[in-house]
Amino acid sequence: DGDRLDESKWEPRPDGKRKGGWWSARAISLDGEGHLVITTFMDGDKPTDGCVWTKGKFEHSFGYYVARVKFQKEPGHWSAFWMNGDGIRKVGDGGRDGTEIDIMEKPWLDDRVTQNLHWDGYGEHHQHKGTTVTVPGIMKGWQTFALWWKSDEYIFYIDGKETWRTDAGGVCQVGPGFNGAALLGERLGLVGHQAGPLLHRPQQDRE
């Protein structure tokens, strides 16, 4: 609830190139009211955003994970709230030995939200299963996105309502898993992440 990130649980991901843009710790701040603020800005000719994660600080498998999110207003971003772990790159046991769990991804400014699973790495053996749901009014105000990760299935929720139930890939049985949330931009190349109250505010949105 202060003006500094709780570094016992969170830290900005290292500065560096991400897709078409750059991550920077300078994009991460708190507003003093319990919200993470991820700011989009141009650093010279580099479209820049930020990301925070819990890797090495708060890593768990099975359980219930939830974030409260207010989406960006400008096109070009790809908001996301996800969980991952080092096992994602293992191949041979489906998703049981490592899965990227995308609790929410939002690359559009309409009412669509996509939820996804990825396993067996990101190369030639990559496997994927996902769904896209439409939630009227999702772009207005605060929304909650949640996952109940059980030993035999994943259950996804938006604003307390179940949206997807699956065991695709074979439910991941290993930890630790670090979690987070993101603002990705395929056109602007932007990413940010946190599990908790999120406020994504590109610079051009500020009044």
Side-chain angles (χ1 to χ4, degrees), residues 142-155:
W142 295 94
Q143 316 294 335
T144 60
F145 301 89
L147 166 75
W148 185 8
W149 177 3
K150 304 170 66 177
S151 62
D152 60 347
E153 66 181 348
Y154 307 106
I155 307 175

Side-chain angles (χ1 to χ4, degrees), residues 41-197:
F41 61 94
M42 294 297 297
D43 182 7
D45 61 352
K46 298 177 181 177
T48 302
D49 207 313
C51 174
V52 300
W53 63 359
T54 65
K55 187 174 184 180
K57 296 176 180 286
F58 183 79
E59 300 185 348
H60 295 270
S61 50
F62 312 114
Y64 186 79
Y65 300 85
V66 62
R68 191 168 69 99
V69 180
K70 188 175 184 180
F71 289 117
Q72 73 283 351
K73 297 179 181 178
E74 298 296 326
H77 303 288
W78 191 319
S79 298
F81 167 42
W82 80 96
M83 300 187 67
N84 208 343
D86 294 334
I88 176 63
R89 300 187 183 280
K90 294 181 178 180
V91 176
D93 193 24
R96 287 175 290 275
D97 55 2
T99 299
E100 175 186 324
I101 309 169
D102 300 321
I103 301 169
M104 174 277 294
E105 291 184 276
K106 190 77 172 71
W108 313 287
L109 293 180
D110 56 24
D111 291 332
R112 291 174 295 167
V113 176
T114 183
Q115 298 162 323
N116 296 278
L117 303 172
H118 300 269
W119 64 93
D120 281 349
Y122 299 108
E124 62 177 322
H125 301 290
H126 171 254
Q127 299 292 316
H128 164 261
K129 183 75 172 180
T131 188
T132 298
V133 297
T134 298
V135 182
I138 195 73
M139 295 297 296
K140 298 177 181 179
W142 295 94
Q143 316 294 335
T144 60
F145 301 89
L147 166 75
W148 185 8
W149 177 3
K150 304 170 66 177
S151 62
D152 60 347
E153 66 181 348
Y154 307 106
I155 307 175
F156 294 76
Y157 302 87
I158 298 177
D159 292 331
K161 297 180 180 180
E162 182 180 327
T163 52
W164 189 32
R165 182 183 294 245
T166 183
D167 61 358
V171 173
C172 184
Q173 300 295 309
V174 300
F178 54 87
N179 51 43
L183 234 184
L184 301 134
E186 292 296 333
R187 280 174 284 171
L188 297 180
L190 314 172
V191 177
H193 130 190
Q194 176 175 348

